[in-house]
Amino acid sequence: QVQLVESGGGSVQPGGSLRLSCSASGISFIRYAMAWFRQAPGKEREFVAAISQRTGSSPVADSVKGRFTISKDNTKKTVTLQMDNLKPEDTAVYYCAAGGGVIMSQLRVQSAYTYWGQGTQVTVSS
């Protein structure tokens, strides 16, 4: 049984930092691309960051470039999203996703990912 469990969400003031983690089980983690997506109230779910299974390539959305960093630990089977200089517009539910055999051009595409976590809330407000 595949499980992706997110943790680390919460409330923070603008300019603050949060670190999200996603722990995976039931998959051959090293063979999977991992990604973070987010969904704000009333909006579509959108790509945030991803890391490929082979090259370690890690594209991020333009809206978070320079502020968010994704990393993958194949030993611990975790993927982490370090979020710095948070802004109110970063408020959303953040989802972890895993996809096997995801090609580089599809890393930002939701349908490329097979497994999803339940999500963790991030709220940025003063």
Side-chain angles (χ1 to χ4, degrees):
Q1 181 180 358
V2 179
Q3 279 194 315
L4 300 178
V5 180
E6 301 100 335
S7 62
S11 296
V12 65
Q13 292 186 341
S17 297
L18 283 174
R19 187 178 180 89
L20 304 184
S21 292
C22 173
S23 178
S25 60
I27 59 173
S28 181
F29 189 77
I30 196 170
R31 299 179 184 273
Y32 277 71
M34 301 297 295
W36 290 94
F37 291 80
R38 69 185 181 186
Q39 188 168 19
K43 294 188 177 180
E44 297 290 320
R45 189 160 57 185
E46 65 176 4
F47 169 77
V48 176
I51 187 163
S52 71
Q53 67 271 32
R54 292 186 182 275
T55 67
S57 176
S58 54
V60 298
D62 288 344
S63 59
V64 306
K65 195 169 292 183
R67 301 187 297 120
F68 290 13
T69 304
I70 188 171
S71 59
K72 185 173 184 267
D73 188 326
N74 290 324
T75 300
K76 295 182 179 179
K77 297 185 178 181
T78 59
V79 60
T80 298
L81 184 68
Q82 177 66 39
M83 306 186 295
D84 298 317
N85 190 22
L86 282 159
K87 302 177 180 181
E89 51 264 41
D90 295 318
T91 295
V93 177
Y94 283 70
Y95 297 91
C96 173
V102 179
I103 60 176
M104 292 289 289
S105 61
Q106 296 293 303
L107 283 173
R108 299 170 182 256
V109 179
Q110 293 187 47
S111 60
Y113 295 88
T114 307
Y115 303 108
W116 293 79
Q118 292 298 308
T120 186
Q121 176 70 46
V122 170
T123 302
V124 185
S125 174
S126 55

